Amino acid sequence: MKNDIQQILLTEEQIQARIAQLGEELSAEYAGKNPIVIGVLKGVVVFYADMIRALNVPCEMDFMCVSSYRGTQSTGKTVVKLDVSADIKGRHVLILEDIFDTGNSLSFVCQHLQAKEPASLKICTLLDKPERRNPNVTLQADYVGFTIPNAFVVGYGLDYNEKYRNLPYVGILKPEVYEK
Ligand code: 5GP
Ligand code: MG
């Protein structure tokens, strides 16, 4: 797998150090609130497992899965493949995401969850790629692990055709891998 990586963007150490910082901020934010932490599958799984262990307040775990069908138009239709199992009405909800790219899927997730009337709804994304944002998306992440350049990255949960999710770091994939 690592022969397919052009450059390691974020090492395991960098990721863990940032998660520890985020853990302190989020623990202060959610003290006494018993939040429901919702992970957006599947890319978030590795970040999720590390992030919740850096939270030193009680929380509940839940997951959602959405998928987007992108046609020739740049706007894709997003559908819910797996909905949250908890009743989030009146609860404090924290969404964890792997990457905030065009923002289309997070916007959809937020609208979907907001309709269930949580007491609060915040977003924590490991990666943010602001250069790729859909200009119609005004949503912003409340917590960002790292802002990254406009490159296709894999590892630490992120895939290319379901591969590379188990790399322990975030790396830029060699373009020849997806061009062949
Ligand atoms: P959106 O474009 O809606 O913000 O992001 C949708 C999804 O596209 C992300 O949750 C992620 O699964 C995938 N994605 C976006 N950028 C990248 C990237 O650089 N690498 C990988 N592996 N997936 C990405
Ligand atoms: Mg994702």
Side-chain angles (χ1 to χ4, degrees), residues 126-162:
L126 175 68
L127 305 174
D128 185 10
K129 231 197 257 180
E131 285 172 53
R132 288 254 309 162
R133 199 81 79 246
N134 176 342
N136 298 324
V137 171
T138 52
L139 185 74
Q140 291 191 337
D142 302 282
Y143 298 88
V144 172
F146 301 91
T147 299
I148 63 166
N150 185 8
F152 190 80
V153 293
V154 294
Y156 199 71
L158 291 132
D159 74 310
Y160 171 64
N161 278 348
E162 295 302 324

Side-chain angles (χ1 to χ4, degrees), residues 12-83:
E12 290 182 70
E13 292 75 17
Q14 285 174 303
I15 296 169
Q16 292 310 321
R18 185 69 186 115
I19 286 175
Q21 290 173 340
L22 287 171
E24 285 184 21
E25 290 177 42
L26 289 169
S27 298
E29 167 78 36
Y30 288 104
K33 293 185 178 170
N34 191 29
I36 301 182
V37 183
I38 298 179
V40 186
L41 297 172
K42 302 183 231 180
V44 82
V45 163
V46 181
F47 174 52
Y48 191 101
D50 284 342
M51 193 65 246
I52 56 159
R53 285 178 293 172
L55 269 182
N56 56 26
V57 295
C59 66
E60 292 176 24
M61 295 170 55
D62 220 309
F63 298 93
M64 264 192 85
C65 186
V66 296
S67 93
S68 348
Y69 297 100
R70 275 169 209 180
T72 47
Q73 307 290 317
S74 57
T75 49
K77 188 181 181 308
T78 308
V79 295
V80 177
K81 287 176 81 181
L82 173 75
D83 205 351

